[in-house]
Amino acid sequence: MDFTTKTIFFITLSSLLFVGNAIPSSRDIHVVRHNLQSNLLEFCKKTTNPTLCQQTIQPSYTNNVFDPYKALGVEIEATLNQTKKIIGIISELREKQETSKSLKDSLDICKDQYNSILGSIKETKDAIANRDVRTIKFKFSAVLSYQASCKDAFEGMEKEFAFAKDSDVEYQLGGNCLDIIADLEKSEPKNEDPLPQSPPSASSNVIGTIS
Ligand SMILES: *[C@@H]1O[C@H](CO)[C@@H](O)[C@H](O)[C@H]1NC(C)=O
């Protein structure tokens, strides 16, 4: 590296660091919010239930830069919350005196399935922290099978399936997560290079900083 190259390299590095740490002015926040909105719309468009995707992810995005892994993390958290809600309903029904033997059997199957979902989600979260899309897919892909197994346990006794609507919400949220994962997988580089490509905007920042 000659002097000029070194200087440019240093400036690039420091401006990248600066961009990363800068506290945005109120105008910038406005711009970021606007982009966040359109990014989220674009992001959710590809999912099973775009409206649900936006409704669940939006509240967790106040003043942040859009990050698809973070958005996936929020949608998975929404799935986790729905899972916990259903486990609560199952426990309540299970404890009722008037619950029939056949209903208890179905509820026990569902309790196992939803506990398995909890396990899958826990493992998925670790993989999200590592931005490891292959492991994310591997760990999360069982969720809809567990959801379906619980639903199947109520075949022929649909009237007693008190949480059918919640089960459907679980399906929609889980489906959204899988769609997002599939999309992330598509944008993964084909080789095993763990380093992200620098965005082209980084070089325009350098020019701005020098002049
Ligand atoms: C999940 O539930 C927690 C606790 O009730 C709540 O703070 C959080 O916002 C919920 N997350 C989503 C994505 O709905």
Side-chain angles (χ1 to χ4, degrees):
M1 275 191 206
D2 60 17
F3 177 73
T4 320
T5 320
K6 262 187 198 155
T7 309
I8 291 177
F9 179 72
F10 177 72
I11 293 172
T12 309
L13 202 64
S14 40
S15 65
L16 277 175
L17 291 173
F18 175 74
V19 168
N21 292 324
I23 297 162
S25 71
S26 60
R27 193 189 70 82
D28 288 339
I29 287 173
H30 180 78
V31 172
V32 167
R33 282 225 177 108
H34 173 79
N35 289 339
L36 212 52
Q37 276 292 353
S38 45
N39 281 336
L40 188 58
L41 278 177
E42 202 51 42
F43 182 78
C44 287
K45 234 194 236 171
K46 304 156 194 155
T47 62
T48 305
N49 188 333
T51 310
L52 185 63
C53 173
Q54 282 163 45
Q55 282 171 350
T56 46
I57 296 176
Q58 181 101 60
S60 301
Y61 267 97
T62 41
N63 265 292
N64 246 312
V65 176
F66 191 80
D67 171 356
Y69 280 92
K70 187 175 179 247
L72 172 62
V74 175
E75 195 68 346
I76 287 178
E77 192 188 290
T79 313
L80 174 67
N81 286 359
Q82 183 65 16
T83 305
K84 288 177 181 165
K85 181 185 176 188
I86 291 174
I87 289 174
I89 296 170
I90 292 170
S91 302
E92 259 176 47
L93 292 171
R94 188 69 180 74
E95 278 160 25
K96 281 189 180 166
Q97 289 297 317
E98 66 268 30
T99 299
S100 67
K101 169 81 173 67
S102 62
L103 178 54
K104 276 181 181 161
D105 289 345
S106 299
L107 289 170
D108 287 344
I109 291 170
C110 285
K111 191 181 163 199
D112 283 348
Q113 300 307 308
Y114 278 89
N115 278 329
S116 299
I117 293 179
L118 284 185
S120 289
I121 291 178
K122 191 177 176 297
E123 292 179 340
T124 306
K125 279 182 165 175
D126 298 337
I128 288 182
N130 298 328
R131 300 185 171 244
D132 173 1
V133 72
R134 289 177 200 87
T135 310
I136 293 170
K137 187 183 180 187
F138 181 67
K139 297 296 183 188
F140 196 83
S141 56
V143 166
L144 290 191
S145 322
Y146 296 133
Q147 182 273 347
S149 298
C150 165
K151 194 180 172 187
D152 289 349
F154 280 88
E155 209 174 282
M157 43 194 296
E158 281 78 10
K159 273 190 199 147
E160 291 172 279
F161 193 17
F163 54 99
K165 277 214 179 87
D166 280 306
S167 162
D168 193 49
V169 173
E170 180 86 11
Y171 177 82
Q172 305 279 327
L173 288 169
N176 279 359
C177 292
L178 286 176
D179 296 332
I180 295 167
I181 293 165
D183 204 55
L184 283 173
E185 203 180 25
K186 255 190 267 166
S187 57
E188 271 275 283
K190 287 281 170 281
N191 56 20
E192 299 283 311
D193 185 5
L195 289 172
Q197 301 294 307
S198 342
S201 63
S203 51
S204 52
N205 276 331
V206 177
I207 293 163
T209 312
I210 294 169
S211 53

